[in-house]
Amino acid sequence: MVKMLRKSWQRFVAVVITVIMLATPAIVGVAAAAVQVGENAVVDVDDLNITEYGSDDKVTQELARLEPYVQYTYSNGIRLQTFDTNTALEEGFSKDVVLLAQEMVAFQNDMAKMAFARGIKDVTQLNISLQKYPRVANFFAQMTQQFESSKNNTTLNPSSLDSDPHPCGTYDHPIPSYTPTWYTTSSNNPEQELLNKGYHRTASYACEQGCTNNNGVWVDFTKGRSYTGPYGTCSSPRFRNHGRIQNSSLYAEQFGEPNPEIFSYVWPYWNWGAYVRWWHNNF
């Protein structure tokens, strides 16, 4: 009887050991997977597959949905963005959109660093080469092509590309969708008259046509404002009126365009900085 019990016990132990050995790879695999996609996982996005965006109208909507995954931090007094790549991938965003967003965050951070660097004289120094950011360059080009192809439409249908267009404008619904007209005014003292109207000297990184003339006289001025367009009102100072001194007795004004002083106010959405760059490249 004792021998029988001993043999039964030995068989039971052998079965248990076998089960554990068979299950161990699966357990290890699950643990490894958990580590790989966990909060501190490192995903090499350069290894992810890339496809063309084409004319996929959902790209801008997907970018908008990434707002919760973009956080802000300060480095040497400069406000920079961080992008939670891993969580975005875990929660189902396409690899292409994640790659684009990651590169766009890096592009905007580079603009911020350059804007606050010493010795910057005009926006040409802020025009970081997009060769460093091929996905952003490709996206910009496709959004421009998409806008150009839509010009033949006699009416702008808000639901054609985006069911809820942003009142400040987006790539598929730029606000305004044209270059504002310049209006000239004669004056005995153009700078003082612009200042009296509420203008200030444009931030040095945002002077698209140069901050000063050949004689070193400041000629570029900005007045922050709100803007009411077809999709609602974008709050001040995310838009601006733009003033330029033409000569000692003449100045010109443009009314209503995205404010390129992008580091002087809170953005309406996380990739506004890149959008403003794109808008001013096209209008």
Side-chain angles (χ1 to χ4, degrees):
M1 183 68 178
V2 173
K3 290 182 179 180
M4 291 178 60
L5 289 174
R6 183 178 299 166
K7 289 181 179 180
S8 297
W9 173 251
Q10 290 174 341
R11 284 196 297 269
F12 173 75
V13 171
V15 170
V16 170
I17 292 174
T18 301
V19 170
I20 291 175
M21 291 178 65
L22 290 173
T24 299
I27 294 172
V28 171
V30 171
V35 171
Q36 179 63 27
V37 300
E39 184 177 286
N40 298 319
V42 176
V43 176
D44 186 357
V45 295
D46 290 333
D47 291 337
L48 299 179
N49 294 325
I50 304 171
T51 60
E52 293 296 324
Y53 299 112
S55 57
D56 186 359
D57 302 329
K58 294 183 179 179
V59 173
T60 55
Q61 297 179 48
E62 288 295 286
L63 289 174
R65 290 180 55 229
L66 287 172
E67 188 82 39
Y69 304 88
V70 178
Q71 303 299 322
Y72 296 87
T73 184
Y74 283 87
S75 176
N76 297 322
I78 304 173
R79 190 170 188 252
L80 302 175
Q81 294 178 319
T82 60
F83 177 55
D84 192 346
T85 302
N86 298 297
T87 302
L89 288 171
E90 285 178 35
E91 298 186 358
F93 284 90
S94 73
K95 297 173 183 177
D96 299 302
V97 169
V98 168
L99 282 165
L100 174 60
Q102 185 184 60
E103 194 173 279
M104 197 170 283
V105 164
F107 171 61
Q108 293 179 149
N109 284 343
D110 268 3
M111 287 199 295
K113 292 173 184 177
M114 187 168 287
F116 285 93
R118 293 181 179 178
I120 193 165
K121 296 187 181 301
D122 59 59
V123 77
T124 59
Q125 296 184 39
L126 189 57
N127 280 341
I128 300 167
S129 173
L130 288 178
Q131 291 182 352
K132 184 179 177 182
Y133 303 100
R135 297 181 184 90
V136 173
N138 182 49
F139 175 71
F140 278 4
Q142 293 194 40
M143 291 300 101
T144 297
Q145 182 179 5
Q146 179 173 289
F147 174 76
E148 292 294 331
S149 65
S150 70
K151 281 184 176 180
N152 295 329
N153 295 337
T154 56
T155 59
L156 185 62
N157 181 5
S159 63
S160 61
L161 298 178
D162 188 344
S163 59
D164 187 22
H166 198 286
C168 293
T170 57
Y171 301 96
D172 48 10
H173 290 91
I175 301 294
S177 57
Y178 56 86
T179 302
T181 302
W182 283 98
Y183 298 91
T184 57
T185 302
S186 298
S187 172
N188 294 328
N189 191 336
E191 178 172 2
Q192 189 57 53
E193 191 161 327
L194 284 169
L195 294 174
N196 291 343
K197 287 184 173 183
Y199 284 85
H200 62 264
R201 291 186 174 188
T202 303
S204 60
Y205 65 83
C207 299
E208 303 168 73
Q209 303 169 44
C211 292
T212 61
N213 62 18
N214 293 332
N215 297 321
V217 177
W218 201 279
V219 296
D220 203 275
F221 295 82
T222 289
K223 179 181 179 180
R225 55 167 288 180
S226 61
Y227 190 94
T228 299
Y231 314 117
T233 298
C234 185
S235 61
S236 178
R238 293 163 175 170
F239 273 68
R240 74 162 180 179
N241 292 340
H242 186 197
R244 290 280 298 182
I245 295 177
Q246 307 297 304
N247 54 50
S248 60
S249 61
L250 190 71
Y251 66 89
E253 293 175 279
Q254 264 183 328
F255 301 101
E257 66 177 13
N259 190 345
E261 295 183 319
I262 55 175
F263 301 112
S264 66
Y265 56 87
V266 177
W267 295 359
Y269 50 83
W270 73 268
N271 60 339
W272 172 257
Y275 165 75
V276 172
R277 162 76 180 268
W278 174 84
W279 189 96
H280 281 278
N281 284 350
N282 285 276
F283 302 100

